[in-house]
Amino acid sequence: MRAIKVLLVEDDPGDVLMTREAFEEYLHNRLDVVTDGADALAYLRNEPPYADAARPDLILLDLNLPRRDGREVLADIKTDPRLTHIPVIVLTTSQAEEDVLRSYQLHANAYVTKPVDFERFVEAIRQIDGFFAGLVKLPGHRRS
């Protein structure tokens, strides 16, 4: 598998910790984290303090975020010609059908409900990573 850069947009410290542990223990990709929607957009647009941030190959986006809601962030990403090509996986606790539908209407690439159990959570992250790092052809990446 090739290494990819992943941006996690998540405000829950426990979920950030579990995702970091999954990446450190099982995955070999770079994980950057921002904890609110406004910082996510600043990061993606290389605005201060993220002027030197590398463009991610994949975004894991929570819906319920401070400052800018995940739905707003998703809409901004998918309407910005510089960002629209980046796959966005909504990774959230919401199982509400309206959240699923709205996310796909905003052009999310996938919607994953976070498992609450650590082992299942790690497995979900591994499956997402395996699919995007090992199977899918991402813009700017050669197949190895």
Side-chain angles (χ1 to χ4, degrees):
M1 281 195 223
R2 65 196 180 280
I4 62 171
K5 296 178 290 291
V6 178
L7 176 63
L8 174 64
V9 186
E10 174 60 68
D11 66 318
D12 183 294
D15 289 345
V16 170
L17 180 62
M18 283 196 302
T19 306
R20 281 193 192 280
E21 287 180 12
F23 269 74
E24 289 170 6
E25 181 91 13
Y26 304 105
L27 310 173
H28 303 289
N29 295 316
R30 177 176 164 185
L31 179 69
D32 288 340
V33 178
V34 293
T35 58
D36 67 56
D39 279 350
L41 292 170
Y43 180 102
L44 292 166
R45 294 176 176 150
N46 295 107
E47 296 169 354
Y50 305 102
D52 295 326
R55 178 80 27 99
D57 299 304
L58 176 66
I59 300 168
L60 302 177
L61 177 67
D62 188 22
L63 289 182
N64 302 310
L65 297 166
R67 295 181 56 204
R68 282 198 66 122
D69 182 80
R71 295 157 199 84
E72 294 174 291
V73 173
L74 179 58
D76 285 352
I77 290 168
K78 293 303 182 179
T79 57
D80 186 328
R82 298 166 298 163
L83 305 174
T84 192
H85 68 279
I86 303 170
V88 178
I89 308 303
V90 173
L91 183 63
T92 187
T93 56
S94 174
Q95 297 183 24
E97 188 61 31
E98 61 268 17
D99 285 337
V100 175
L101 179 60
R102 184 69 182 135
S103 295
Y104 283 118
Q105 288 171 337
L106 293 170
H107 306 288
N109 297 86
Y111 190 100
V112 177
T113 303
K114 292 180 204 170
V116 291
D117 171 79
F118 177 73
E119 295 302 320
R120 291 175 124 178
F121 183 86
V122 168
E123 185 56 31
I125 295 295
R126 287 175 75 177
Q127 288 181 15
I128 291 168
D129 181 80
F131 182 72
F132 281 94
L135 186 61
V136 171
K137 171 74 172 124
L138 295 171
H141 281 267
R142 287 187 166 148
R143 297 292 301 216
S144 12

